[in-house]
Amino acid sequence: MEKRRISEEQKRAISATMKARFALPGTREAVAAKTKAFWDGCVGEARARKCAHLTNPEAQAKSHETQRTPEFRARRVAWAKAGGSGGSR
């Protein structure tokens, strides 16, 4: 699959949208709280499992492989249509 290039205009539009979204009152605090809740009490083996894809090449490859399956792509499309944040970063 060929990667699509994002034009400078599109990059500026995305950046403006994200800046506007994070300018809303309480947004930064909500993101910080959600991040803290995700990692709270997560130490040792549990933390290693949660962040394995960040540090382990085999886990990273498995994750990338999984994201390229037709089933995963179909779910991601469904999330996007439902208004979720299932798109790629």
Side-chain angles (χ1 to χ4, degrees), residues 61-80:
K62 183 179 175 184
S63 175
H64 290 185
E65 206 174 287
T66 300
Q67 291 176 29
R68 281 153 183 79
T69 62
E71 296 81 11
F72 186 87
R73 287 176 185 242
R75 280 187 298 179
R76 189 167 52 202
V77 167
W79 293 331

Side-chain angles (χ1 to χ4, degrees), residues 7-79:
S7 71
E8 288 302 315
E9 185 179 321
Q10 287 173 317
K11 286 180 185 178
R12 282 192 295 276
I14 291 168
S15 179
T17 300
M18 294 306 289
K19 285 177 183 175
R21 184 176 296 163
F22 276 92
L24 295 173
T27 303
R28 289 182 187 272
E29 294 79 11
V31 170
K34 187 175 179 181
T35 303
K36 186 176 181 331
F38 180 81
W39 291 110
D40 266 358
C42 187
V43 293
E45 204 174 303
R47 187 176 186 102
R49 275 194 310 275
K50 277 192 178 182
C51 68
H53 66 285
L54 302 175
T55 57
N56 181 335
E58 289 91 14
Q60 211 171 41
K62 183 179 175 184
S63 175
H64 290 185
E65 206 174 287
T66 300
Q67 291 176 29
R68 281 153 183 79
T69 62
E71 296 81 11
F72 186 87
R73 287 176 185 242
R75 280 187 298 179
R76 189 167 52 202
V77 167
W79 293 331

